[in-house]
Amino acid sequence: QLARWFHMNVAFRYQMYNTFGKTYNFVEPRLSTCFSAGTVFDFKMSYSKMNQTEHLIMSNMTDIPGNFWMPSTKKMKPMQADQYSAGQTGYGT
């Protein structure tokens, strides 16, 4: 809490993934903030970075659908995503 009207959370996640002689290193930051305007409203924002090292392979070509998880390899790299969000909460009077 930096001020009575401003809150912030900061975090980092470290991930290391090793597959078939290839090592992937990831730093995943997370940040969330909240600005309060007394009892009128709150404004919130957040950001996070994520990495996924396994991929879902789906097949519905046969009578029995099959889902398989495939690990990342040298040729199939991990997927990355950035997520942003913002919102406002108002209070009734």
Side-chain angles (χ1 to χ4, degrees):
Q1 184 169 342
L2 301 175
R4 193 174 54 130
W5 52 271
F6 181 69
H7 300 266
M8 179 184 289
N9 289 321
V10 179
F12 292 93
R13 178 177 182 264
Y14 173 73
Q15 179 182 5
M16 182 175 71
Y17 182 75
N18 186 13
T19 179
F20 304 108
K22 175 69 176 164
T23 301
Y24 297 99
N25 294 288
F26 305 107
V27 175
E28 300 174 339
R30 284 128 164 73
L31 170 70
S32 67
T33 61
C34 178
F35 301 92
S36 296
T39 58
V40 181
F41 71 90
D42 288 343
F43 182 72
K44 300 177 180 184
M45 295 184 306
S46 67
Y47 167 76
S48 64
K49 183 173 194 75
M50 296 158 281
N51 294 281
Q52 183 170 333
T53 57
E54 296 184 4
H55 309 278
L56 179 61
I57 310 293
M58 299 176 68
S59 172
N60 53 3
M61 298 296 290
T62 62
D63 291 338
I64 303 171
N67 297 336
F68 304 97
W69 287 96
M70 175 83 174
S72 296
T73 63
K74 288 180 181 180
K75 293 182 179 181
M76 188 186 325
K77 296 184 175 165
M79 301 295 292
Q80 294 184 338
D82 293 295
Q83 181 176 349
Y84 302 89
S85 67
Q88 182 258 324
T89 304
Y91 302 105
T93 56

